[in-house]
Amino acid sequence: MTPGFVDHCLSGYPVLWVATSEPHRAQKDLSGQLQKEWSERFGEDGLTILRWDVLTGLTTSEGHPVGSPDPVEAITNLSQIQGELVVAFFWNLHQFMEPGVVQAILNGVKVWKATGKVLVILAPSTSIPCEVEKYVTILDFSLPDEKGLREILDNLTKSVQEEDSSFPAPSEEEANALVAAGKGLSAFEFENALALCIATEGSFSTSVVLEMKEQLVKKAEALEFYKPSAEDSFSFIGGLDNLKSFCLSTCKSPLSKGVLLLGVPGTGKSAFSKALGGEAGLPALSLNIGAVFGSLVGESERRIREALKVVEAMAPCVLFIDEIEKGLAGSEASGRTDSGVTARVVGTFLTWMQDCPAHVYVVATCNSIDKLPPEMLRAERWDAIFFIDLPTAPEQARIWEIWGNYYKVNIDHLPPHQGWTGAEIRTCCRLAAMMGCTVKEAARFVIPLATTMGEKIEALRRWAEGRAIPASVKTTTTTTQKARRVVRKGGAK
């Protein structure tokens, strides 16, 4: 079992750094665990718990002042406080890590470990000065689990019912749905979302809780919360039946990882990715890898870690990455071109794909396979790699029907469209609607990709043969072999 907060305190660790954005809940939960363990082992006496912030200074758990708001004086005073075990929670001390504070910690470490003093720094970041990092142990304080979220829900329900007895308590099914929607939120954020439900709708609603989760995404620079429109559904995607069937049957499983979609531009890769979330009933996020990279040292690595933490908090969800090969290009030469930044970002992302504990279904699109790092294609990165070729004749017919109805244009007389992609068919219908002409007339403004990039498309097909799964169900044409007709000499015709 991994040692926890209580174990470190009882073992005489002098400085603990707890990474959390919830200092209230962190101090309450951690001090509660410590008090329970101490009383069971040693009785009620001997444990002293203190709290410090820059406004109130160092105080006891009852609120009595015992030290100055000045961080240097408060840290120095910690050595003088009596008790078998003294644990002082310092809120946001990372904001005051100037030379005086660093030296006060260095001076106190030897005394604290010998006299049962523990300095606990509660801070949202782990920017530890190099002078003291060898003396600091970092501990994570996780967000509320299902049990903690259910407790918040039950307490708020009870509180509201005390004032209004007619307030409906959620059923067991509704409560489970609310708790599932609240995963990834802090206790404060979840309680706020529930309170907003009551104020706006008069009862609890998972949709309001999910809207609160959107705030997490808005704060991440490289992420976008995607809300499917009416067009973002499988009914607007002609064909790709093999891909649709596979993803719908796997994306809800906690064992799933996701799919890589390789194919010709304009064949519906992005449209499929955006529609999958709505079809599966999962929130959909979009990761812009280009926005991860920043100009400051360490900024890119920080952004990718923060973005992936938010993605995990949104789980279960679908994560869409468009044209992934462009975002991850250059990783092999990264050491020579950008001091290894791209390689580190790619490494972080690949490790996350392999070991992500949350249920995140990654759907990435790619137009050029040779630009991807080889390790991106190995087993256990994806559930499957699909190849999306130019649409078949039946798929083209379905696509013409979809966009002809959408743009309200007549498709009885179609132009020659062999090798056209779905995007080109949509463009033709849109132009016809915009220009007030037939699709045959609008077709002269459409230059198909199969004409301009035929060689590259053929190269993609050759690579995908045997290496990727066809996204469409193959159609086969059966022809009847006729017997040879021979006219016998002298015989009848």
Side-chain angles (χ1 to χ4, degrees), residues 73 372 489:
E73 290 185 24
L372 281 176
K489 183 178 179 180

Side-chain angles (χ1 to χ4, degrees), residues 26-39:
Q27 179 172 334
K28 179 182 177 182
D29 287 5
L30 296 177
S31 61
Q33 295 173 21
L34 183 58
Q35 287 173 326
K36 180 182 178 182
E37 184 71 19
W38 183 270
S39 62

